[in-house]
Amino acid sequence: MDIRSNRRDADGQSVITANRLLDGITVWRAADGSWKERITESTPVSNTEVEGLLSSLQGKAQELGLVGIYGVQVQDSPDGRIVPVTSRERIRAFGPSVHPEFSPL
């Protein structure tokens, strides 16, 4: 298990994230297997399945042009969006530590 995965609950759900190798932008894995710049376009998977998915993706990271692939536990917000559970991942997903020029929002 990745050390960043220690905050995942057994019965929760996670999204897969990474950084794009060419520009360092945070990306999120969508249902079709593509990588999107917005977490709102990602697809949650159950935490019981995430480790298997991560194992298959981490072996192809260089081929995919990605670094640091790992899972992020998420929860549904009252307005139906998926939101990371931890503050660190909320900042990665929504800012504000990224200059607006470089933020996807």
Side-chain angles (χ1 to χ4, degrees), residues 64-86:
L64 297 169
L66 303 170
V67 293
I69 299 173
Y70 63 98
V72 173
Q73 177 145 344
V74 294
Q75 60 190 7
D76 292 325
S77 69
D79 61 0
R81 296 183 309 149
I82 55 172
V83 178
V85 172
T86 65

Side-chain angles (χ1 to χ4, degrees), residues 8 11 14-15 24 29 32 61 68 74 76 82 85 92 96 99-100:
R8 280 204 298 266
D11 57 349
S14 296
V15 295
R29 189 170 188 273
D32 64 0
V74 294
D76 292 325
I82 55 172
V85 172
R92 284 185 76 240
H99 187 281

Side-chain angles (χ1 to χ4, degrees), residues 3-53:
I3 61 170
R4 291 169 287 205
S5 302
N6 63 354
R7 293 190 176 146
R8 280 204 298 266
D9 298 332
D11 57 349
Q13 58 182 359
S14 296
V15 295
I16 307 296
T17 187
N19 289 88
R20 202 165 42 211
L21 191 57
L22 291 177
D23 56 13
I25 297 291
T26 300
V27 290
W28 308 89
R29 189 170 188 273
D32 64 0
S34 64
W35 295 86
K36 306 292 186 181
E37 294 182 7
R38 292 185 171 89
I39 191 172
T40 55
E41 299 177 85
S42 66
T43 300
V45 296
S46 74
N47 284 347
T48 57
E49 301 172 41
V50 73
E51 289 298 327
L53 181 57

